Structures are given as C-alpha cells and as structure tokens.
Amino acid sequence: DLGCGVGNEVALLLNNGWEVWAVDGQCKAIQMIKERADIKDREKLVLIVASFEDKSFWEGLPKVDFILASYALPFSKSDKFNNVWARIVQKLNQNG
C-alpha cells in the first residue's frame, strides 16, 4: 500500500489474509498503524517510512500480485510520475 496513511486499507487487506507492505513518507502515519487495535496478523505486515518516488526504495521490494496506491499517485511530482509508474509495473507479478 503506497501512501498507506492511517492504514484503513492495510487493516482491510491484512484482516482478509493478505501479506501487506505499508509505505508512507510520514513517520506519524506508520506510528498510527502500529497503534491500531483492529489489525490482525501483524506478522504479515511490513511497515516502511519512505518516499515511493525514491529509486532506492524500490530496490528492496519483492514482486507482488497487487499494489494499492488509492490516493498517493496524484501527489507524485509530475516529473517523477513516469518513473514511479514504471517501477510499479516492474514490481507486479505476471497476471498481478
């Protein structure tokens, strides 16, 4: 979940059996997710404070079946959007 914010989608995905990598550029957002009582299966959760516009962020991520960026992509700087989109596509498994 790119730009995970307070973790509403993170909670939904975790509580329905997904493994989730939650990424946000704000430490406060990650802290709020840690404090949520409604999140189950925390062993399936990886929390990352980073900007998804940063190339080095993508190097450590695995390929996945699903990438959620509900409200994050509109905040991507226009000169970086094409690179971000290309990295998203590269990190999706075939048929993801």
Side-chain angles (χ1 to χ4, degrees), residues 2-4 52 69-76:
L2 300 177
C4 60
F52 57 84
S70 296
Y71 302 106
L73 292 180
F75 294 102
S76 184

Side-chain angles (χ1 to χ4, degrees), residues 1-5 21-24 52 57-58 61 67-73 84 88:
D1 183 358
L2 300 177
C4 60
W21 290 54
V23 182
D24 202 283
F52 57 84
F57 158 72
W58 294 93
L61 296 181
I67 295 176
L68 177 69
S70 296
Y71 302 106
L73 292 180
V84 169
I88 288 172

Side-chain angles (χ1 to χ4, degrees), residues 25-43:
Q26 303 296 317
C27 293
K28 183 162 180 75
I30 298 302
Q31 187 59 41
M32 288 191 288
I33 293 173
K34 288 179 180 178
E35 295 171 1
R36 288 184 67 135
D38 62 331
I39 292 180
K40 304 173 190 172
D41 293 328
R42 289 186 182 269
E43 67 277 357

Side-chain angles (χ1 to χ4, degrees), residues 16 24 42 46 52 55 63-64 68:
N16 283 283
D24 202 283
R42 289 186 182 269
V46 176
F52 57 84
K55 181 181 176 185
K63 287 192 133 202
V64 295
L68 177 69

